[in-house]
Amino acid sequence: MNMLLCPGMSSEYARIVEEKKNISIMIVQQVEEIFQIYKDIFEIMCEDWRNGRNSQYVYRIDRMQSREMLEAGYTFGFTSCSLNEESGVKDEQLRKKSGLLLLEWMIPAGTPYVLINEILGSNRFAYQNELLLPPFVSFKKRKELPFTKKELEYRDANGKPPKAKYCLEITGMDLGLVEDKDKNFLRKDEIDFAVYVLEKLGSDKCISDKEREQYGEWKCRLQSSVKDCFKSVYQRER
């Protein structure tokens, strides 16, 4: 579901082509339900935020594709982080990612987020001790950090060590401008086209520039509607 909140097709290429993830492409046919899930999660985050949230310092091992996010200055999708530096690190998880980007997040008090274990209680991923940030959280890149000795031992899907490490400081929510509120992304022909493109990608078939552009425009309309929805929730909860 996070893939649909990232711009362009770099996230799809990383997950489907490079990492060979077993992604159910047909889930895109339930995009209206996905949209509702986005909204429900953000409402929970805002409810917790209204009741007060402490500042946090958290850690994330991301893909190098997230350099686009660093340049944009805001999170594209829901972003999971670990409260403890090595609590979420397992070798098999690292080897599923193509290119490792290490991030440390400074989260000020009052930022919307949820603590996963508070919501799920006992679960098989409880050891990761995760915090989940919403999309459209703005941040500034404070500085590049040196790798620890342990981090230099991490290996990605290609057997390569991490390529970069940064400290990021959250500055607020980037919900000010909604470029397009049209809901055409929910039309059957639009959804069928998105499924068609992802099926071609999963079958290693060539995707034309026009198809890539049309798919990107479909995602932009979805993302603008999500942003508009989040803006309404955020303003209501303030």
Side-chain angles (χ1 to χ4, degrees), residues 159-189:
K160 295 182 179 180
K163 295 185 178 182
K165 179 181 178 182
Y166 295 101
C167 176
L168 309 178
E169 181 181 2
I170 289 178
T171 57
M173 294 291 297
D174 184 9
L175 297 172
L177 177 64
V178 178
E179 297 177 357
D180 186 354
K181 297 183 181 180
D182 112 37
K183 297 289 183 70
N184 284 345
F185 70 89
L186 291 174
R187 278 191 349 218
K188 185 179 184 303
D189 60 317

mmCIF file of all heavy atoms in Angstrom, residues 159-189:
data_model
loop_
_atom_site.group_PDB
_atom_site.id
_atom_site.type_symbol
_atom_site.label_atom_id
_atom_site.label_comp_id
_atom_site.label_asym_id
_atom_site.label_seq_id
_atom_site.Cartn_x
_atom_site.Cartn_y
_atom_site.Cartn_z
ATOM 1 N N GLY A 159 24.531 -7.892 -1.459
ATOM 2 C CA GLY A 159 25.719 -8.155 -0.657
ATOM 3 C C GLY A 159 26.567 -6.927 -0.396
ATOM 4 O O GLY A 159 27.740 -7.045 -0.027
ATOM 5 N N LYS A 160 25.975 -5.734 -0.552
ATOM 6 C CA LYS A 160 26.734 -4.495 -0.389
ATOM 7 C C LYS A 160 26.391 -3.804 0.930
ATOM 8 O O LYS A 160 25.264 -3.903 1.416
ATOM 9 C CB LYS A 160 26.445 -3.552 -1.564
ATOM 10 C CG LYS A 160 26.948 -4.105 -2.897
ATOM 11 C CD LYS A 160 26.692 -3.122 -4.033
ATOM 12 C CE LYS A 160 27.227 -3.674 -5.345
ATOM 13 N NZ LYS A 160 27.002 -2.736 -6.478
ATOM 14 N N PRO A 161 27.361 -3.088 1.514
ATOM 15 C CA PRO A 161 27.120 -2.385 2.793
ATOM 16 C C PRO A 161 26.280 -1.127 2.579
ATOM 17 O O PRO A 161 26.019 -0.720 1.437
ATOM 18 C CB PRO A 161 28.544 -2.020 3.238
ATOM 19 C CG PRO A 161 29.306 -1.877 1.954
ATOM 20 C CD PRO A 161 28.743 -2.925 1.028
ATOM 21 N N PRO A 162 25.835 -0.487 3.650
ATOM 22 C CA PRO A 162 25.059 0.755 3.520
ATOM 23 C C PRO A 162 25.820 1.819 2.738
ATOM 24 O O PRO A 162 27.050 1.881 2.783
ATOM 25 C CB PRO A 162 24.832 1.185 4.970
ATOM 26 C CG PRO A 162 24.988 -0.062 5.771
ATOM 27 C CD PRO A 162 26.000 -0.892 5.063
ATOM 28 N N LYS A 163 25.062 2.668 2.042
ATOM 29 C CA LYS A 163 25.686 3.685 1.192
ATOM 30 C C LYS A 163 25.683 5.071 1.823
ATOM 31 O O LYS A 163 26.512 5.914 1.467
ATOM 32 C CB LYS A 163 24.969 3.730 -0.156
ATOM 33 C CG LYS A 163 25.120 2.437 -0.956
ATOM 34 C CD LYS A 163 24.489 2.555 -2.334
ATOM 35 C CE LYS A 163 24.700 1.282 -3.138
ATOM 36 N NZ LYS A 163 24.126 1.383 -4.504
ATOM 37 N N ALA A 164 24.737 5.342 2.729
ATOM 38 C CA ALA A 164 24.664 6.670 3.338
ATOM 39 C C ALA A 164 23.900 6.600 4.658
ATOM 40 O O ALA A 164 23.122 5.670 4.884
ATOM 41 C CB ALA A 164 23.992 7.662 2.384
ATOM 42 N N LYS A 165 24.138 7.606 5.515
ATOM 43 C CA LYS A 165 23.456 7.674 6.806
ATOM 44 C C LYS A 165 23.238 9.146 7.167
ATOM 45 O O LYS A 165 24.178 9.951 7.117
ATOM 46 C CB LYS A 165 24.297 6.984 7.882
ATOM 47 C CG LYS A 165 23.699 7.001 9.279
ATOM 48 C CD LYS A 165 24.649 6.310 10.259
ATOM 49 C CE LYS A 165 24.117 6.353 11.685
ATOM 50 N NZ LYS A 165 25.078 5.726 12.643
ATOM 51 N N TYR A 166 21.977 9.477 7.510
ATOM 52 C CA TYR A 166 21.648 10.871 7.794
ATOM 53 C C TYR A 166 20.824 11.000 9.067
ATOM 54 O O TYR A 166 20.088 10.083 9.443
ATOM 55 C CB TYR A 166 20.841 11.481 6.646
ATOM 56 C CG TYR A 166 21.595 11.594 5.346
ATOM 57 C CD1 TYR A 166 21.396 10.667 4.324
ATOM 58 C CD2 TYR A 166 22.511 12.632 5.132
ATOM 59 C CE1 TYR A 166 22.086 10.765 3.134
ATOM 60 C CE2 TYR A 166 23.203 12.737 3.937
ATOM 61 C CZ TYR A 166 22.989 11.801 2.946
ATOM 62 O OH TYR A 166 23.682 11.903 1.762
ATOM 63 N N CYS A 167 20.913 12.170 9.678
ATOM 64 C CA CYS A 167 20.035 12.548 10.780
ATOM 65 C C CYS A 167 18.990 13.517 10.226
ATOM 66 O O CYS A 167 19.337 14.514 9.578
ATOM 67 C CB CYS A 167 20.835 13.222 11.891
ATOM 68 S SG CYS A 167 19.806 13.836 13.255
ATOM 69 N N LEU A 168 17.706 13.226 10.467
ATOM 70 C CA LEU A 168 16.609 14.038 9.975
ATOM 71 C C LEU A 168 15.803 14.582 11.147
ATOM 72 O O LEU A 168 15.522 13.869 12.098
ATOM 73 C CB LEU A 168 15.682 13.204 9.076
ATOM 74 C CG LEU A 168 16.348 12.415 7.938
ATOM 75 C CD1 LEU A 168 15.296 11.609 7.176
ATOM 76 C CD2 LEU A 168 17.093 13.344 6.997
ATOM 77 N N GLU A 169 15.421 15.851 11.070
ATOM 78 C CA GLU A 169 14.634 16.489 12.125
ATOM 79 C C GLU A 169 13.266 16.880 11.587
ATOM 80 O O GLU A 169 13.159 17.658 10.633
ATOM 81 C CB GLU A 169 15.342 17.735 12.651
ATOM 82 C CG GLU A 169 14.587 18.425 13.776
ATOM 83 C CD GLU A 169 15.298 19.670 14.273
ATOM 84 O OE1 GLU A 169 16.360 20.024 13.714
ATOM 85 O OE2 GLU A 169 14.780 20.288 15.225
ATOM 86 N N ILE A 170 12.212 16.343 12.181
ATOM 87 C CA ILE A 170 10.845 16.642 11.734
ATOM 88 C C ILE A 170 10.484 18.087 12.109
ATOM 89 O O ILE A 170 10.749 18.539 13.220
ATOM 90 C CB ILE A 170 9.857 15.643 12.347
ATOM 91 C CG1 ILE A 170 10.049 14.270 11.693
ATOM 92 C CG2 ILE A 170 8.409 16.111 12.196
ATOM 93 C CD1 ILE A 170 9.180 13.180 12.241
ATOM 94 N N THR A 171 9.855 18.768 11.146
ATOM 95 C CA THR A 171 9.509 20.179 11.348
ATOM 96 C C THR A 171 8.007 20.434 11.314
ATOM 97 O O THR A 171 7.566 21.546 11.604
ATOM 98 C CB THR A 171 10.186 21.049 10.270
ATOM 99 O OG1 THR A 171 9.799 20.585 8.964
ATOM 100 C CG2 THR A 171 11.699 20.981 10.393
ATOM 101 N N GLY A 172 7.184 19.444 10.957
ATOM 102 C CA GLY A 172 5.735 19.644 10.908
ATOM 103 C C GLY A 172 5.070 18.741 9.887
ATOM 104 O O GLY A 172 5.609 17.706 9.506
ATOM 105 N N MET A 173 3.881 19.139 9.437
ATOM 106 C CA MET A 173 3.136 18.407 8.412
ATOM 107 C C MET A 173 3.068 19.256 7.147
ATOM 108 O O MET A 173 2.783 20.451 7.201
ATOM 109 C CB MET A 173 1.715 18.099 8.890
ATOM 110 C CG MET A 173 1.621 17.131 10.057
ATOM 111 S SD MET A 173 2.098 15.433 9.641
ATOM 112 C CE MET A 173 0.858 14.999 8.419
ATOM 113 N N ASP A 174 3.342 18.641 5.991
ATOM 114 C CA ASP A 174 3.299 19.340 4.710
ATOM 115 C C ASP A 174 1.951 19.078 4.045
ATOM 116 O O ASP A 174 1.825 18.244 3.158
ATOM 117 C CB ASP A 174 4.445 18.855 3.819
ATOM 118 C CG ASP A 174 4.522 19.612 2.503
ATOM 119 O OD1 ASP A 174 3.805 20.616 2.352
ATOM 120 O OD2 ASP A 174 5.288 19.194 1.622
ATOM 121 N N LEU A 175 0.928 19.806 4.497
ATOM 122 C CA LEU A 175 -0.436 19.592 3.996
ATOM 123 C C LEU A 175 -1.029 20.860 3.388
ATOM 124 O O LEU A 175 -2.232 20.925 3.124
ATOM 125 C CB LEU A 175 -1.339 19.118 5.137
ATOM 126 C CG LEU A 175 -0.989 17.780 5.789
ATOM 127 C CD1 LEU A 175 -1.845 17.543 7.026
ATOM 128 C CD2 LEU A 175 -1.164 16.632 4.808
ATOM 129 N N GLY A 176 -0.173 21.842 3.117
ATOM 130 C CA GLY A 176 -0.684 23.142 2.706
ATOM 131 C C GLY A 176 -1.281 23.216 1.319
ATOM 132 O O GLY A 176 -2.262 23.913 1.087
ATOM 133 N N LEU A 177 -0.703 22.501 0.335
ATOM 134 C CA LEU A 177 -1.133 22.645 -1.052
ATOM 135 C C LEU A 177 -1.648 21.315 -1.586
ATOM 136 O O LEU A 177 -0.944 20.312 -1.564
ATOM 137 C CB LEU A 177 0.028 23.135 -1.919
ATOM 138 C CG LEU A 177 -0.237 23.272 -3.414
ATOM 139 C CD1 LEU A 177 -1.301 24.333 -3.669
ATOM 140 C CD2 LEU A 177 1.044 23.611 -4.170
ATOM 141 N N VAL A 178 -2.875 21.317 -2.060
ATOM 142 C CA VAL A 178 -3.453 20.141 -2.720
ATOM 143 C C VAL A 178 -3.635 20.504 -4.188
ATOM 144 O O VAL A 178 -4.425 21.379 -4.534
ATOM 145 C CB VAL A 178 -4.798 19.735 -2.082
ATOM 146 C CG1 VAL A 178 -5.395 18.552 -2.826
ATOM 147 C CG2 VAL A 178 -4.596 19.381 -0.617
ATOM 148 N N GLU A 179 -2.885 19.839 -5.059
ATOM 149 C CA GLU A 179 -2.857 20.228 -6.468
ATOM 150 C C GLU A 179 -4.083 19.782 -7.251
ATOM 151 O O GLU A 179 -4.515 20.443 -8.181
ATOM 152 C CB GLU A 179 -1.599 19.665 -7.130
ATOM 153 C CG GLU A 179 -0.307 20.229 -6.523
ATOM 154 C CD GLU A 179 0.925 19.607 -7.140
ATOM 155 O OE1 GLU A 179 0.762 18.712 -7.997
ATOM 156 O OE2 GLU A 179 2.041 20.012 -6.765
ATOM 157 N N ASP A 180 -4.653 18.651 -6.889
ATOM 158 C CA ASP A 180 -5.725 18.093 -7.713
ATOM 159 C C ASP A 180 -6.646 17.266 -6.831
ATOM 160 O O ASP A 180 -6.228 16.298 -6.223
ATOM 161 C CB ASP A 180 -5.112 17.211 -8.820
ATOM 162 C CG ASP A 180 -6.149 16.719 -9.815
ATOM 163 O OD1 ASP A 180 -7.347 16.951 -9.589
ATOM 164 O OD2 ASP A 180 -5.765 16.110 -10.830
ATOM 165 N N LYS A 181 -7.909 17.630 -6.778
ATOM 166 C CA LYS A 181 -8.851 16.918 -5.916
ATOM 167 C C LYS A 181 -9.735 15.958 -6.711
ATOM 168 O O LYS A 181 -10.649 15.367 -6.170
ATOM 169 C CB LYS A 181 -9.739 17.926 -5.171
ATOM 170 C CG LYS A 181 -8.979 18.843 -4.226
ATOM 171 C CD LYS A 181 -9.925 19.758 -3.483
ATOM 172 C CE LYS A 181 -9.167 20.688 -2.562
ATOM 173 N NZ LYS A 181 -10.064 21.600 -1.823
ATOM 174 N N ASP A 182 -9.467 15.805 -8.004
ATOM 175 C CA ASP A 182 -10.369 14.967 -8.784
ATOM 176 C C ASP A 182 -10.194 13.501 -8.413
ATOM 177 O O ASP A 182 -9.104 13.047 -8.097
ATOM 178 C CB ASP A 182 -10.187 15.296 -10.270
ATOM 179 C CG ASP A 182 -9.569 14.231 -11.134
ATOM 180 O OD1 ASP A 182 -9.857 13.077 -10.900
ATOM 181 O OD2 ASP A 182 -8.826 14.592 -12.074
ATOM 182 N N LYS A 183 -11.310 12.779 -8.357
ATOM 183 C CA LYS A 183 -11.317 11.398 -7.871
ATOM 184 C C LYS A 183 -11.315 10.391 -9.025
ATOM 185 O O LYS A 183 -11.763 9.271 -8.864
ATOM 186 C CB LYS A 183 -12.555 11.170 -6.991
ATOM 187 C CG LYS A 183 -12.589 12.031 -5.732
ATOM 188 C CD LYS A 183 -11.552 11.573 -4.730
ATOM 189 C CE LYS A 183 -11.610 12.373 -3.440
ATOM 190 N NZ LYS A 183 -12.798 12.122 -2.637
ATOM 191 N N ASN A 184 -10.811 10.791 -10.198
ATOM 192 C CA ASN A 184 -10.800 9.877 -11.338
ATOM 193 C C ASN A 184 -9.983 8.616 -11.078
ATOM 194 O O ASN A 184 -10.161 7.618 -11.777
ATOM 195 C CB ASN A 184 -10.256 10.574 -12.592
ATOM 196 C CG ASN A 184 -11.274 11.513 -13.219
ATOM 197 O OD1 ASN A 184 -12.457 11.436 -12.901
ATOM 198 N ND2 ASN A 184 -10.816 12.396 -14.088
ATOM 199 N N PHE A 185 -9.092 8.672 -10.096
ATOM 200 C CA PHE A 185 -8.270 7.497 -9.811
ATOM 201 C C PHE A 185 -9.123 6.313 -9.357
ATOM 202 O O PHE A 185 -8.665 5.173 -9.353
ATOM 203 C CB PHE A 185 -7.205 7.820 -8.757
ATOM 204 C CG PHE A 185 -7.733 8.047 -7.371
ATOM 205 C CD1 PHE A 185 -7.876 6.981 -6.487
ATOM 206 C CD2 PHE A 185 -8.087 9.312 -6.946
ATOM 207 C CE1 PHE A 185 -8.361 7.185 -5.207
ATOM 208 C CE2 PHE A 185 -8.565 9.526 -5.668
ATOM 209 C CZ PHE A 185 -8.705 8.464 -4.797
ATOM 210 N N LEU A 186 -10.383 6.570 -8.979
ATOM 211 C CA LEU A 186 -11.281 5.497 -8.544
ATOM 212 C C LEU A 186 -12.080 4.889 -9.687
ATOM 213 O O LEU A 186 -12.759 3.886 -9.492
ATOM 214 C CB LEU A 186 -12.254 6.026 -7.477
ATOM 215 C CG LEU A 186 -11.636 6.390 -6.118
ATOM 216 C CD1 LEU A 186 -12.675 7.033 -5.217
ATOM 217 C CD2 LEU A 186 -11.038 5.159 -5.449
ATOM 218 N N ARG A 187 -11.994 5.490 -10.882
ATOM 219 C CA ARG A 187 -12.741 4.943 -12.018
ATOM 220 C C ARG A 187 -12.176 3.586 -12.415
ATOM 221 O O ARG A 187 -10.964 3.359 -12.366
ATOM 222 C CB ARG A 187 -12.641 5.888 -13.225
ATOM 223 C CG ARG A 187 -13.615 7.025 -13.172
ATOM 224 C CD ARG A 187 -13.708 7.801 -14.478
ATOM 225 N NE ARG A 187 -12.688 7.482 -15.470
ATOM 226 C CZ ARG A 187 -12.117 8.401 -16.254
ATOM 227 N NH1 ARG A 187 -12.427 9.681 -16.131
ATOM 228 N NH2 ARG A 187 -11.222 8.042 -17.146
ATOM 229 N N LYS A 188 -13.042 2.679 -12.833
ATOM 230 C CA LYS A 188 -12.622 1.319 -13.162
ATOM 231 C C LYS A 188 -11.557 1.296 -14.251
ATOM 232 O O LYS A 188 -10.574 0.548 -14.159
ATOM 233 C CB LYS A 188 -13.825 0.471 -13.590
ATOM 234 C CG LYS A 188 -13.469 -0.996 -13.839
ATOM 235 C CD LYS A 188 -14.682 -1.805 -14.223
ATOM 236 C CE LYS A 188 -14.338 -3.279 -14.384
ATOM 237 N NZ LYS A 188 -13.268 -3.518 -15.368
ATOM 238 N N ASP A 189 -11.726 2.125 -15.294
ATOM 239 C CA ASP A 189 -10.751 2.097 -16.382
ATOM 240 C C ASP A 189 -9.380 2.591 -15.900
ATOM 241 O O ASP A 189 -8.338 2.092 -16.348
ATOM 242 C CB ASP A 189 -11.230 2.941 -17.565
ATOM 243 C CG ASP A 189 -11.442 4.401 -17.210
ATOM 244 O OD1 ASP A 189 -12.000 4.673 -16.133
ATOM 245 O OD2 ASP A 189 -11.056 5.267 -18.013
#
